[in-house]
Amino acid sequence: MNGDGSKGDGSSLISIVAPAYNEEGGLTQFALRVDAVMRSSASAYEIVFINDGSTDETLSVMRSLRATNPNITIVNLSRNFGKETAMTAGIAHAIGDAIVIIDTDLQDPPELIPEMIDGWRAGYDVVYAQRTGRAGETWMKKTTARLFYWTVKHMGPVPIPENTGDFRLMSRRAARALLQIPERHRFMKGLYAWIGYPQKAIAYRREARFTGRSKWNYWQLWNLAIEGITSFTIVPLKLATYLGFLIALTAFAYGLFMIFKVIVFGEVVRGFPTLLSVVLLLGGVQLIVLGFIGEYLGRIFDETKQRPLYLLESVSWSAAAEERTKAPSSNDVRTPKVVGQR
Ligand code: UDP
Ligand code: MG
């Protein structure tokens, strides 16, 4: 079992954590669909919206939604911190017994949530949605995604399930584990896998965006891939060692061969082009390896600064969260000791 008390009964609360960055066009539709789904599954719920420093009307749309639906918490960040951090902020402010992370652009169908809840009730700590199709995505994005999963699978210590995003349900225990991870560089896909606990996949078709467009460009995706690799494996650092050995050995053998040639055949030393290309090759290899080291060094630098993960501009709590502070309880989740809030 997943170690949470209140679930077989009907009293459990589901928190739906929804990060939004410039999503003014789809939020109302999103809230409507979530509400319809949660009503029909007869589960008590709250939506935890995170306004990740949007520059459009996202915040005021959230506020007007909250005016008619008391089940909404709004976590308003001080600026744009990126989705990974926004999700962490949302989880930290969610008070539910289970927490669902979902995109607000309606690419993740809320209709899947009841199935996730069933999985959770059956004892799984994490129920993640695994996409079967990537509608509306380019060939290029599909290929690069496949390449990324392959690399991480062969380099990392924990396998990351393929074609899985952030859309998932987590038990309170799994969410607590996630909040205990103090890393500034939060590669969430890896962290979900790292925490372990019983996990289950459910298949779904990822839809095209409702409105607007993806905030990810290829440069950001590339950086995310580097993030994924560097935060979970030091294989690139080891690569330098082995590459060094290989080149040194080859050079040594080649040296012996040259001496042999000079002694036996009395050949004069030739090969300025060879010399140049070897020097350039080695220079290049050394710079690449320095770059590897730099990637890790930069991350150490970021982690040692110990900055808070995010800053809050304001928080408006849902009715359920307000309720919970009024009734003093031994496990008040509203003031958790979490990263980013010190
Ligand atoms: N998002 C966010 N902060 C950001 C970028 C994105 O909170 O800096 C949210 C965005 O509003 C959406 C989700 O993260 O709800 C996924 O973003 P997007 O659709 O751009 O990514 P994709 O679906 O292409 O992976
Ligand atoms: Mg999207």
Side-chain angles (χ1 to χ4, degrees):
M1 284 305 281
N2 52 22
D4 294 307
S6 57
K7 49 178 181 211
D9 54 24
S11 70
S12 48
L13 176 76
I14 311 293
S15 292
I16 292 160
V17 169
Y21 174 56
N22 293 346
E23 301 282 4
E24 57 177 6
L27 275 188
T28 310
Q29 177 76 8
F30 171 82
L32 275 177
R33 266 173 74 178
V34 168
D35 188 63
V37 168
M38 298 312 282
R39 267 171 205 278
S40 68
S41 79
S43 310
Y45 80 97
E46 61 163 5
I47 298 180
V48 181
F49 276 131
I50 304 97
N51 175 35
D52 188 14
S54 301
T55 50
D56 64 359
E57 292 305 308
T58 297
L59 183 63
S60 43
V61 174
M62 285 177 182
R63 289 207 167 120
S64 60
L65 286 170
R66 186 169 175 273
T68 55
N69 183 351
N71 305 321
I72 292 180
T73 287
I74 302 173
V75 179
N76 189 19
L77 300 183
S78 66
R79 64 168 170 85
N80 178 262
F81 282 93
K83 187 187 177 190
E84 319 271 313
T85 305
M87 288 186 292
T88 308
I91 297 169
H93 289 82
I95 64 152
D97 304 296
I99 291 169
V100 174
I101 300 177
I102 184 170
D103 285 1
T104 43
D105 58 8
L106 289 169
Q107 278 194 286
D108 304 331
E111 290 70 26
L112 218 62
I113 296 175
E115 204 181 328
M116 292 180 168
I117 297 175
D118 290 344
W120 171 61
R121 294 226 158 98
Y124 289 97
D125 279 272
V126 178
V127 186
Y128 57 86
Q130 195 160 36
R131 65 185 86 150
T132 50
R134 283 172 168 253
E137 287 185 8
T138 59
W139 171 87
M140 182 77 172
K141 183 149 180 197
K142 288 178 197 168
T143 313
T144 45
R146 203 168 305 138
L147 193 71
F148 169 72
Y149 284 114
W150 186 89
T151 313
V152 173
K153 190 170 157 192
H154 288 84
M155 276 190 168
V158 279
I160 294 174
E162 200 159 329
N163 288 335
T164 314
D166 297 303
F167 188 23
R168 62 189 57 228
L169 176 146
M170 285 184 292
S171 65
R172 169 65 41 201
R173 165 170 94 158
R176 206 181 297 128
L178 210 57
L179 291 177
Q180 272 170 16
I181 299 174
E183 283 168 43
R184 266 74 197 153
H185 285 266
R186 301 183 84 73
F187 180 65
M188 297 296 269
K189 281 183 217 263
L191 297 183
Y192 299 133
W194 183 87
I195 61 173
Y197 293 137
Q199 308 209 355
K200 184 190 177 188
I202 52 181
Y204 81 116
R205 247 194 103 73
R206 189 163 165 86
E207 287 157 35
R209 266 180 158 274
F210 183 65
T211 65
R213 51 193 214 82
S214 171
K215 277 100 199 170
W216 291 99
N217 58 38
Y218 280 107
W219 176 243
Q220 285 167 316
L221 284 173
W222 165 248
N223 281 321
L224 187 68
I226 291 185
E227 198 70 67
I229 291 165
T230 50
S231 52
F232 278 88
T233 172
I234 53 166
V235 167
L237 292 178
K238 291 185 184 157
L239 212 65
T241 316
Y242 297 117
L243 205 63
F245 270 121
L246 191 74
I247 293 175
L249 265 177
T250 316
F252 185 69
Y254 186 66
L256 285 184
F257 171 68
M258 290 301 280
I259 293 171
F260 176 79
K261 255 179 51 170
V262 171
I263 293 174
V264 177
F265 301 108
E267 261 188 40
V268 281
V269 181
R270 278 184 288 119
F272 178 72
T274 324
L275 195 67
L276 189 67
S277 50
V278 167
V279 167
L280 286 179
L281 173 82
L282 282 185
V285 167
Q286 281 170 352
L287 282 179
I288 292 171
V289 169
L290 258 183
F292 285 169
I293 299 173
E295 289 286 343
Y296 287 91
L297 186 69
R299 278 166 180 78
I300 297 173
F301 176 63
D302 282 346
E303 299 294 339
T304 51
K305 281 187 288 192
Q306 291 284 311
R307 287 192 186 154
L309 262 184
Y310 54 84
L311 291 177
L312 299 171
E313 165 74 37
S314 60
V315 179
S316 319
W317 294 98
S318 68
E322 291 289 0
E323 200 56 42
R324 208 160 284 198
T325 32
K326 266 185 237 144
S329 84
S330 52
N331 65 3
D332 186 358
V333 281
R334 250 197 68 174
T335 48
K337 193 186 169 304
V338 292
V339 284
Q341 288 190 308
R342 36 190 82 207

